[in-house]
Amino acid sequence: MSAEDALFALLSASGVKPPEIPASVDARAALWRNRLASAKVLLIIDNAMARAQVQPLLPGTSQCLVIITSRRRLAALSAYQAAVTLRLATLPSDDATTLFSVMAGRQPQGTEVDAVKELVRFSGYLPLAICLLAARLRPEPQWLMRDLLDELGQATDRLAHMKGEDVAVEAVFDLSYRRLPSPRRRFFRRLSVHPGPELDRYAAAALNGITPARAEEHLDALYYDNLIDQPTRGRYRMHDLIGAYASRLALSDAPADRQRALANLLDYYQSAALTANHQLSRRGSPHAPVANPSSALPTMATRQQALGWLNAEKANLLTCAKTMYAIGERGRLTTLASAMATYLRHAGPWEEAAWLHKAAATAAQQTGDQAAEARANHELGVIRRLMSWYAEAESALRRALDTYERIDDRSGIAAARTQLAAVQWRTGDHRGAATQLSTALEIFRSTNDLEGQADTLDELGVVRHLNADYEGFAEVLRQALAIHEQLGDLHGAANALNQLGMAQQLTDEYPKAIGNHERALLAYRQLGDRHGEARALNYLGIAYCQIGNYDAAKSALLVALRIHHHLGSRLGEANSLDYLGIAYRQTGDYETAEQYLHRALIMYQEQRNVVGEAETLNQFGVLRRLTGDYSTSAEQHERALALFQSLADHLRQAEVLNNLGALFLAQNQPARALDHYRRALVLARQARNPMEEANALEGLGRCVLHLGGPGDARDHLQGAMSIYERIGARDAANAVASLISGTDNSSASRQGFAS
């Protein structure tokens, strides 16, 4: 309705006789304001199209209230001082369910409740669509809601089910679409070709073969008309039903035009991903960024800009990869998978990354591209190793190694061997891992590949750690760190710092260890490496536990747990759970501690991680002792000890023996405890671990006190306190100092009595 006609209707309704109504819009508006000057009126202007249509109808007094509804964003009206804009989103799920039930005239029960939830989800939570669907049930009392849901599930055209006799969801969308100029209608239809959840001006430009600036004009206009949403600035999406409407309209376009639009879009995402990867990849991408891409690309001159783009476009990139796979675009798929590999390692989701690399390996095999096939299997092996799927990881890496050897790619051979070693030491094959690393290091040195050498040294350090060579562990990590720093490789340096901090924890240099973990954490966050961040937080949590700062330990470990769970890092998640159990146990919250330890034990057992299983059994043994369940405590410690003996792990054997000593002391069996502490002391000194050495000495001192030898006890306790003070374990040092003071007082009393 025009403003002129609306004013005629309003003036007539307010009592003005038609012959007395002026002819011009301005005169009618003046008369209308005059009629309302002393009145209190609620005026509802429904389905307004533009400011020019509405402004002449507005009263000139503050005593009146005007409610304007529109499918468009009437920005010019929002500038009025008294105007309040209320944007109506789709209905919340509960409200949508209630509306459906009322309009259908039914109260759902049992499984029907779930059916209604699915029906309103199918309606996109739009009130009109909900009402039209519900209206189909009202005249059919014998129909079940599940019947309608099944029918909709088989439908290829959702909109066809959302109409009544004289109203349809599609007709409402038509009102907005028909007002668009022809170029914008074509632009709107092209948006439906995009397979992802949202897009920006660059992707829209690629779809339509226009500049990003022109695409932005169209996007802003469609947003103004409420045909698309803008959930965050510069990023646009269609409601599901509007997307279905646009897809139906696009069917009228020539198939070749739609295919060309999709090809342009896939080329754009591939070019942009290659450019982003060029900023992220430490070794350089096997594909250089496209020199003259067919579509304009966003600025990615820095690592942070590249990360920001990848974070925003991750869902789109993965969806486009699935589209490439579905339509047989094998070359595009392998290139995109390679371009996303570095980012997905760090940011996940790993399950999606595994699918992508597996699909890329299949595509490369079909096209005979052996180099791409080797890269895809290599990346699949890395992702499966991160997910603790060790059998599949080893299988993929061996396929990659075979292909690298067939095409004589020496860098690929060495890198695959390094990754194989990372799988082997995690599954207990320390000797096999050492052999792989020795070969890889020799190749990297022959090709003067410093970065490869540093990565291999990182893994070699872990193998030395597992063989209880803690000095060798720290030595090779310092070598790796020096190379990474020489190359300016922040990511490699962060990895080395994190591992070096772990080496320092094993020799109880906790202040140094915490400093290195914090430096690594800062670097990982700067790099956007979520997996590295979670690993650093886990290590920090362990260090804080060891020095008695349990609140800091919990904070770090809870954040690590969330990240590991999001990424799908089952080993990292289990490690977080294990140390959270320790932290909560040490603060007396035994119930929470048991929950965390139980979850960790299940995850370690599912992964067949013997070290993790034994470690958690050991911690369970301590928890059972503290709750007075001595028989179960002994059983769990003995199981842990047997596992650590099978691994020849002297350090962890010492830890279990110390815990068994504490158990026997709690049962007032100092002689049995003394034997376990002596064995623990020997193993702790062989492993060169000060913390377990101090624990053993403290235990020996306590046993001797129980057996009545305060003089000998003091020597043991003094040795323990010196170590605790040196490594920064203040609470333990203070507790032992109190024991020593007690032995001194006891000795002085006896001397006084004798004299």
Side-chain angles (χ1 to χ4, degrees):
M1 183 181 291
S2 68
E4 183 180 10
D5 291 343
L7 284 167
F8 187 93
L10 288 168
L11 288 168
S12 298
S14 69
V16 180
K17 295 178 181 178
E20 298 173 358
I21 297 176
S24 73
V25 172
D26 289 343
R28 289 181 180 184
L31 179 58
W32 171 241
R33 285 193 293 272
N34 184 58
R35 298 282 294 178
L36 298 183
S38 59
K40 290 184 177 181
V41 169
L42 169 64
L43 176 63
I44 300 175
I45 303 175
D46 184 45
N47 202 16
M49 185 176 69
R51 179 190 62 81
Q53 185 190 32
V54 170
Q55 192 167 0
L57 313 185
L58 300 179
T61 172
S62 61
Q63 295 182 105
C64 296
L65 174 67
V66 183
I67 296 176
I68 305 168
T69 72
S70 178
R71 287 189 301 279
R72 310 181 78 191
R73 291 171 171 82
L74 303 178
L77 288 175
S78 299
Y80 282 80
Q81 186 175 359
V84 176
T85 300
L86 178 63
R87 183 167 178 265
L88 297 181
T90 53
L91 286 175
S93 177
D94 289 346
D95 291 348
T97 301
T98 301
L99 175 62
F100 188 96
S101 301
V102 170
M103 297 305 294
R106 303 189 186 185
Q107 187 59 43
Q109 302 291 335
T111 58
E112 294 279 270
V113 174
D114 292 334
V116 173
K117 290 180 179 178
E118 282 297 301
L119 286 166
V120 297
R121 185 186 63 79
F122 191 92
S123 305
Y125 304 102
L126 287 176
L128 177 59
I130 291 169
C131 292
L132 289 171
L133 271 184
R136 297 189 60 196
L137 282 175
R138 184 180 284 274
E140 304 289 348
Q142 75 280 9
W143 280 24
L144 299 175
M145 292 183 182
R146 176 62 59 182
D147 295 334
L148 178 57
L149 184 61
D150 291 342
E151 180 183 337
L152 293 173
Q154 298 171 14
T156 57
D157 187 350
R158 296 170 67 181
L159 294 173
H161 292 266
M162 298 178 189
K163 60 184 179 182
E165 291 183 2
D166 58 353
V167 65
V169 171
E170 184 176 9
V172 176
F173 298 156
D174 271 337
L175 290 175
S176 296
Y177 176 74
R178 285 199 301 268
R179 295 193 187 110
L180 302 177
S182 180
R184 192 157 296 146
R185 291 186 192 180
R186 179 183 181 279
F187 181 91
F188 175 72
R189 296 194 302 272
R190 283 289 176 274
L191 295 185
S192 69
V193 175
H194 192 288
E198 62 182 43
L199 80 172
D200 64 2
R201 62 190 183 120
Y202 292 97
L207 273 170
N208 287 274
I210 58 178
T211 66
R214 182 64 179 142
E216 189 167 29
E217 291 177 16
H218 285 308
L219 289 166
D220 285 343
L222 293 173
Y223 173 68
Y224 179 79
D225 287 334
N226 266 320
L227 284 169
I228 58 175
D229 290 325
Q230 188 175 193
T232 57
R233 181 172 174 77
R235 299 195 67 79
Y236 302 86
R237 69 171 51 161
M238 284 183 175
H239 185 279
D240 285 352
L241 294 183
I242 294 179
Y245 171 71
S247 295
R248 176 189 283 185
L249 292 174
L251 293 175
S252 63
D253 295 330
D257 288 345
R258 297 199 303 272
Q259 291 166 7
R260 190 179 309 112
L262 178 60
N264 290 341
L265 179 75
L266 298 180
D267 281 342
Y268 159 72
Y269 276 124
Q270 178 180 290
S271 299
L274 286 168
T275 301
N277 184 57
H278 189 67
Q279 292 293 343
L280 266 62
S281 179
R282 296 166 58 216
R283 289 185 164 274
S285 171
H287 307 281
V290 177
N292 296 299
S294 57
S295 301
L297 301 181
T299 301
M300 285 185 273
T302 67
R303 180 186 180 90
Q304 289 308 312
Q305 288 173 334
L307 268 177
W309 184 83
L310 285 163
N311 287 335
E313 298 291 351
K314 175 164 53 178
N316 284 331
L317 290 166
L318 290 169
T319 303
C320 284
K322 290 173 182 175
T323 300
M324 292 172 183
Y325 183 79
I327 64 177
E329 288 285 354
R330 298 181 181 89
R332 281 193 176 105
L333 178 61
T334 56
T335 301
L336 183 61
S338 179
M340 293 185 69
T342 299
Y343 171 73
L344 290 174
R345 278 197 201 187
H346 299 164
W350 288 341
E351 192 60 60
E352 293 277 10
W355 175 87
L356 176 60
H357 296 310
K358 190 179 291 186
T362 300
Q365 187 180 45
Q366 290 170 346
T367 59
D369 187 343
Q370 294 187 77
E373 183 183 354
R375 283 195 304 271
N377 276 315
H378 186 137
E379 293 298 339
L380 175 61
V382 172
I383 292 296
R384 286 309 195 196
R385 188 258 297 168
L386 291 171
M387 297 175 71
S388 304
W389 289 33
Y390 298 127
E392 187 172 334
E394 182 169 357
S395 177
L397 288 165
R398 290 199 181 279
R399 289 197 301 273
L401 180 58
D402 289 345
T403 309
Y404 282 135
E405 288 175 339
R406 194 159 53 247
I407 62 177
D408 196 27
D409 181 343
R410 291 180 59 74
S411 292
I413 292 168
R417 287 188 178 278
T418 300
Q419 290 298 330
L420 265 174
V423 173
Q424 288 172 311
W425 67 251
R426 283 174 170 83
T427 53
D429 184 5
H430 302 169
R431 181 176 297 178
T435 300
Q436 295 285 7
L437 292 169
S438 176
T439 304
L441 194 57
E442 182 180 340
I443 295 173
F444 282 133
R445 283 173 174 164
S446 70
T447 58
N448 199 31
D449 185 337
L450 292 177
E451 192 171 286
Q453 292 176 46
D455 289 343
T456 306
L457 288 168
D458 286 338
E459 295 297 331
L460 183 59
V462 178
V463 173
R464 291 192 176 182
H465 159 215
L466 294 170
N467 290 326
D469 180 5
Y470 303 125
E471 290 180 358
F473 181 17
E475 177 191 343
V476 295
L477 287 171
R478 290 190 182 96
Q479 291 177 31
L481 179 59
I483 296 173
H484 289 308
E485 290 177 338
Q486 175 188 340
L487 295 171
D489 179 1
L490 182 60
H491 192 272
N495 290 339
L497 283 167
N498 217 19
Q499 293 286 51
L500 182 58
M502 194 65 235
Q504 289 162 332
Q505 285 197 50
L506 291 167
T507 53
D508 295 330
E509 301 173 86
Y510 292 108
K512 289 182 181 178
I514 289 171
N516 282 327
H517 292 317
E518 287 176 340
R519 286 173 61 194
L521 179 63
L522 185 65
Y524 286 132
R525 284 176 170 165
Q526 181 180 339
L527 293 165
D529 183 347
R530 299 285 282 163
H531 180 228
E533 178 184 353
R535 288 172 56 237
L537 287 166
N538 259 1
Y539 285 150
L540 275 171
I542 296 168
Y544 287 138
C545 275
Q546 294 290 355
I547 64 173
N549 190 349
Y550 300 114
D551 288 340
K554 290 176 189 175
S555 296
L557 291 165
L558 285 169
V559 176
L561 180 63
R562 285 196 295 272
I563 298 173
H564 281 308
H565 182 74
H566 170 75
L567 287 172
S569 173
R570 296 166 67 240
L571 177 58
E573 188 175 353
N575 290 339
S576 298
L577 291 166
D578 183 31
Y579 279 94
L580 278 166
I582 296 172
Y584 277 92
R585 184 194 68 206
Q586 292 298 98
T587 52
D589 187 349
Y590 298 149
E591 183 177 350
T592 303
E594 179 161 2
Q595 292 171 2
Y596 281 125
L597 290 173
H598 181 69
R599 288 168 60 191
L601 183 60
I602 290 174
M603 292 190 76
Y604 284 134
Q605 289 172 337
E606 287 174 348
Q607 298 168 49
R608 299 181 182 177
N609 186 313
V610 177
V611 173
E613 180 182 359
E615 168 65 21
T616 310
L617 286 169
N618 185 35
Q619 299 305 331
F620 254 127
V622 176
L623 181 64
R624 296 294 183 232
R625 167 171 60 83
L626 294 173
T627 56
D629 187 356
Y630 295 145
S631 61
T632 305
S633 173
E635 176 191 339
Q636 289 173 331
H637 281 317
E638 292 293 351
R639 286 172 61 193
L641 184 61
L643 290 172
F644 285 135
Q645 285 171 339
S646 71
L647 297 169
D649 189 329
H650 292 174
L651 172 57
R652 290 186 173 90
Q653 287 179 60
E655 184 181 349
V656 179
L657 287 166
N658 276 328
N659 287 332
L660 280 166
L663 173 63
F664 291 129
L665 267 182
Q667 294 175 286
N668 199 26
Q669 300 179 47
R672 290 187 69 186
L674 190 69
D675 175 62
H676 285 80
Y677 282 125
R678 283 173 175 159
R679 291 165 59 194
L681 183 61
V682 171
L683 289 168
R685 285 173 172 168
Q686 286 178 357
R688 297 194 178 109
N689 184 271
M691 176 63 85
E692 293 309 323
E693 180 181 356
N695 289 341
L697 287 168
E698 179 185 347
L700 287 170
R702 291 179 180 274
C703 288
V704 172
L705 280 176
H706 274 75
L707 294 169
D712 292 337
R714 191 181 189 285
D715 292 339
H716 293 309
L717 294 171
Q718 189 69 55
M721 188 176 73
S722 298
I723 296 174
Y724 286 141
E725 288 175 340
R726 188 177 79 243
I727 65 177
R730 291 185 298 275
D731 290 347
N734 292 336
V736 175
S738 297
L739 278 175
I740 293 172
S741 176
T743 63
D744 290 342
N745 293 336
S746 174
S747 177
S749 298
R750 284 194 300 274
Q751 289 173 3
F753 179 78
S755 64

Short mmCIF file of all heavy atoms in Angstrom, two decimals, residues 103 142 250 258 365 423 464 479 704:
data_model
loop_
_atom_site.label_atom_id
_atom_site.label_comp_id
_atom_site.label_asym_id
_atom_site.label_seq_id
_atom_site.Cartn_x
_atom_site.Cartn_y
_atom_site.Cartn_z
N MET A 103 -0.71 -25.26 17.54
CA MET A 103 -1.29 -25.15 16.20
C MET A 103 -1.76 -26.51 15.67
O MET A 103 -2.68 -26.58 14.86
CB MET A 103 -0.28 -24.53 15.23
CG MET A 103 0.13 -23.11 15.59
SD MET A 103 -1.29 -21.98 15.77
CE MET A 103 -1.91 -21.95 14.10
N GLN A 142 -5.85 -39.11 12.93
CA GLN A 142 -5.25 -40.45 12.96
C GLN A 142 -3.75 -40.42 12.65
O GLN A 142 -3.05 -41.40 12.86
CB GLN A 142 -5.98 -41.37 11.95
CG GLN A 142 -5.65 -41.13 10.48
CD GLN A 142 -6.41 -39.93 9.89
OE1 GLN A 142 -7.07 -39.19 10.63
NE2 GLN A 142 -6.32 -39.76 8.59
N ALA A 250 17.65 -21.34 -8.45
CA ALA A 250 18.86 -21.54 -9.25
C ALA A 250 18.68 -22.63 -10.29
O ALA A 250 19.42 -22.67 -11.29
CB ALA A 250 20.04 -21.86 -8.35
N ARG A 258 25.93 -22.81 -13.45
CA ARG A 258 26.08 -23.21 -12.05
C ARG A 258 27.41 -23.96 -11.85
O ARG A 258 28.10 -23.75 -10.85
CB ARG A 258 24.91 -24.11 -11.61
CG ARG A 258 23.56 -23.39 -11.66
CD ARG A 258 22.52 -24.12 -10.81
NE ARG A 258 22.34 -25.51 -11.20
CZ ARG A 258 21.51 -25.94 -12.13
NH1 ARG A 258 20.76 -25.07 -12.80
NH2 ARG A 258 21.38 -27.23 -12.39
N GLN A 365 46.08 -41.74 -5.72
CA GLN A 365 46.33 -43.07 -6.27
C GLN A 365 45.60 -43.26 -7.58
O GLN A 365 46.13 -43.83 -8.55
CB GLN A 365 45.89 -44.13 -5.25
CG GLN A 365 46.26 -45.55 -5.64
CD GLN A 365 45.80 -46.55 -4.59
OE1 GLN A 365 44.69 -46.49 -4.10
NE2 GLN A 365 46.69 -47.48 -4.24
N VAL A 423 55.54 -43.17 16.51
CA VAL A 423 54.52 -44.19 16.77
C VAL A 423 55.13 -45.36 17.55
O VAL A 423 54.54 -45.86 18.52
CB VAL A 423 53.91 -44.70 15.45
CG1 VAL A 423 52.97 -45.88 15.70
CG2 VAL A 423 53.17 -43.57 14.74
N ARG A 464 65.47 -41.46 24.55
CA ARG A 464 66.46 -41.51 25.63
C ARG A 464 65.79 -41.38 26.99
O ARG A 464 66.20 -42.02 27.97
CB ARG A 464 67.50 -40.41 25.44
CG ARG A 464 68.39 -40.67 24.23
CD ARG A 464 69.59 -39.76 24.20
NE ARG A 464 70.47 -40.11 23.08
CZ ARG A 464 71.62 -39.49 22.82
NH1 ARG A 464 72.03 -38.49 23.59
NH2 ARG A 464 72.35 -39.87 21.80
N GLN A 479 70.47 -29.49 21.81
CA GLN A 479 70.95 -29.43 20.42
C GLN A 479 69.81 -29.03 19.48
O GLN A 479 69.97 -28.17 18.61
CB GLN A 479 71.51 -30.78 19.99
CG GLN A 479 72.80 -31.21 20.68
CD GLN A 479 73.22 -32.60 20.23
OE1 GLN A 479 72.97 -33.03 19.11
NE2 GLN A 479 73.85 -33.34 21.14
N VAL A 704 62.79 -45.55 60.44
CA VAL A 704 63.75 -45.65 61.53
C VAL A 704 63.18 -45.04 62.80
O VAL A 704 63.38 -45.57 63.91
CB VAL A 704 65.09 -44.99 61.14
CG1 VAL A 704 66.04 -44.93 62.34
CG2 VAL A 704 65.74 -45.74 59.99
#
